[in-house]
Amino acid sequence: MRTLANPYTGKPDRAFWKRAVSTRHYSQLSDLAKPIDGFLDARIATAGSCFAQHIGRYLRKNGLNYMDHEPAPEILSPKSADRLGYGVYSCRYGNIYTSRQLVQLFDEAFGKRKPVDGIWQKGERFYDALRPGIEPDGFVSPEAVQALRRFHLSKVRRMFRKLDIFVFTLGLTECWVSTRDGTAYPIAPGVIAGSYTPQDYEFVNLRHRDIMDDLIRFRAALKEINPQARILFTVSPVPLAATATDNHVLVATTYSKSVLRAVAGEMTDEFDDVHYFPSYEVITGQPTRHAFYEPDLRSVAAAGVAEVMRHLLPEDAVPQRPQKAKGKRRRLYADEADVGYEHCEEGLLAEAAGE
């Protein structure tokens, strides 16, 4: 048996900070992401917080088998379709910032729950409280909200049953929930629609054990209806726009991202069919010296998005094949890199607070 000087002897360069990080420009970093077998040919669906929108657009642009189960009506222009939340994710569910939202969406899609307080009102218009940003002008009636939500959930069911890889970007630990049944919302009531009353809504800052329990439960439920499904977790590098805690927003952001990153790592270690992609590390890591943020130190610059995607799909791995066309509908997203923008309800918090 060969005797080593110490347990680190013979480890590759990627295991040492000096060799892998401090002496290299960020463009020279490699081996950050572990390859996922069959990724290039898999049916891929995406969901999560705002940053996840970039992943879906990139996969579609590069001709991968990206799932869009709720495409825009052909009559809509690309700009209008994007404004209404079409083509942003694999279904039109808007941003899913927390693990609690994800579990509840799955349960509702498969008839295991129905939110008590699922419709918010603003003036004479009505909004789907679980995705209030998809119709900026609201609906004419509660019945219209319910009808479209039933249609939406049917598409969500089909997506979960058909996907091979589910890419989910964890974004927040903070959320507002209904005191009546625990329904978690993507935004606080009163920001887009509805009104805040302390007796009806409460603030919850999910802890590590809460998120871990949520994701273990989600994985088990997904495997029941789709045994071959795999999950790829990422963590959003976008800081909190505002915090409802008593902490400084910088401290609150560090807590949130640290917990999410820890859970993602533990899920990857625990289950062979769960993977992690380091978009968070690419943007926030020391090698980039925060060069990938816009001047507001929150929005991720285009160069940062490009660097993340370089690690997700190196150029030599991108399949050189045409995108699958489906008549006129395919043209709706042909220029999505130009018409697309980051839909982010959370970004409205400061504005709603009068900042």
Side-chain angles (χ1 to χ4, degrees):
M1 179 181 293
R2 181 185 176 189
T3 302
L4 300 177
N6 63 69
Y8 294 90
T9 301
K11 277 197 166 284
D13 288 351
R14 70 195 303 270
F16 298 92
W17 187 270
K18 183 176 181 179
R19 299 183 205 165
V21 180
S22 64
T23 59
R24 295 186 181 183
H25 186 266
Y26 68 79
S27 63
Q28 297 175 308
L29 295 181
S30 60
D31 299 332
L32 287 180
K34 296 180 180 178
I36 301 174
D37 292 340
F39 188 80
L40 297 180
D41 296 311
R43 291 169 294 188
I44 304 171
T46 62
S49 68
C50 308
F51 191 79
Q53 297 167 28
H54 300 296
I55 297 176
R57 290 182 179 127
Y58 185 83
L59 295 177
R60 194 200 313 267
K61 179 180 178 181
N62 283 279
L64 273 75
N65 195 358
Y66 180 70
M67 302 173 72
D68 185 355
H69 275 247
E70 208 168 350
E74 294 179 6
I75 193 173
L76 291 179
S77 68
K79 185 175 181 180
S80 295
D82 190 72
R83 176 176 178 267
L84 296 174
Y86 289 104
V88 178
Y89 295 112
S90 294
C91 284
R92 196 182 173 213
Y93 28 60
N95 294 312
I96 303 176
Y97 293 102
T98 63
S99 59
R100 192 60 45 85
Q101 282 179 262
L102 175 62
V103 170
Q104 292 179 352
L105 173 66
F106 188 96
D107 286 350
E108 187 183 0
F110 287 92
K112 297 179 181 179
R113 82 181 310 270
K114 184 176 181 179
V116 174
D117 182 13
I119 299 176
W120 286 343
Q121 188 170 356
K122 181 180 180 181
E124 297 182 353
R125 306 291 288 185
F126 299 88
Y127 294 75
D128 185 336
L130 284 305
R131 47 177 191 158
I134 61 144
E135 289 283 349
D137 301 320
F139 296 86
V140 296
S141 67
E143 292 74 22
V145 175
Q146 293 168 344
L148 193 62
R149 184 153 191 85
R150 285 193 296 270
F151 174 80
H152 166 63
L153 293 173
S154 71
K155 301 301 181 181
V156 172
R157 282 195 299 276
R158 179 175 173 79
M159 178 197 74
F160 280 128
R161 286 193 171 115
K162 296 292 184 180
L163 62 80
D164 294 318
I165 297 176
F166 181 58
V167 182
F168 185 69
T169 299
L170 296 155
L172 299 174
T173 57
E174 297 189 14
C175 59
W176 289 88
V177 306
S178 167
T179 58
R180 299 169 66 185
D181 67 350
T183 295
Y185 303 100
I187 195 70
V191 176
I192 293 178
S195 58
Y196 171 66
T197 49
Q199 65 269 26
D200 295 321
Y201 304 100
E202 64 181 354
F203 171 69
V204 173
N205 198 8
L206 297 170
R207 300 191 178 207
H208 179 284
R209 61 176 176 269
D210 301 321
I211 302 167
M212 193 74 181
D213 288 346
D214 283 345
L215 296 184
I216 289 174
R217 180 184 168 194
F218 168 75
R219 176 193 168 274
L222 176 61
K223 299 293 279 188
E224 278 188 23
I225 57 99
N226 186 349
Q228 303 306 313
R230 291 180 288 168
I231 302 171
L232 175 61
F233 285 122
T234 68
V235 174
S236 169
V238 179
L240 275 65
T243 179
T245 69
D246 292 331
N247 293 319
H248 189 286
V249 69
L250 179 59
V251 175
T253 293
T254 302
Y255 168 83
S256 184
K257 303 302 180 180
S258 299
V259 169
L260 295 174
R261 178 60 185 90
V263 172
E266 288 190 33
M267 287 293 295
T268 302
D269 291 340
E270 186 76 16
F271 302 103
D272 292 337
D273 52 16
V274 176
H275 310 273
Y276 176 73
F277 174 69
S279 56
Y280 180 78
E281 287 82 351
V282 171
I283 299 298
T284 65
Q286 288 93 327
T288 65
R289 293 167 172 80
H290 285 157
F292 288 153
Y293 284 106
E294 296 286 5
D296 64 2
L297 297 182
R298 181 172 186 272
S299 304
V300 177
V305 174
E307 181 65 11
V308 167
M309 300 313 166
R310 179 177 74 85
H311 291 277
L312 178 65
L313 279 182
E315 288 186 9
D316 58 357
V318 176
Q320 299 301 310
R321 60 194 180 203
Q323 299 182 30
K324 295 180 180 180
K326 293 184 179 180
K328 295 180 180 179
R329 179 170 290 146
R330 182 58 240 167
R331 292 208 303 268
L332 287 174
Y333 306 119
D335 299 318
E336 67 213 16
D338 298 321
V339 302
Y341 62 93
E342 195 170 272
H343 301 255
C344 189
E345 296 97 338
E346 196 206 1
L348 300 174
L349 291 175
E351 179 182 338
E355 295 297 323

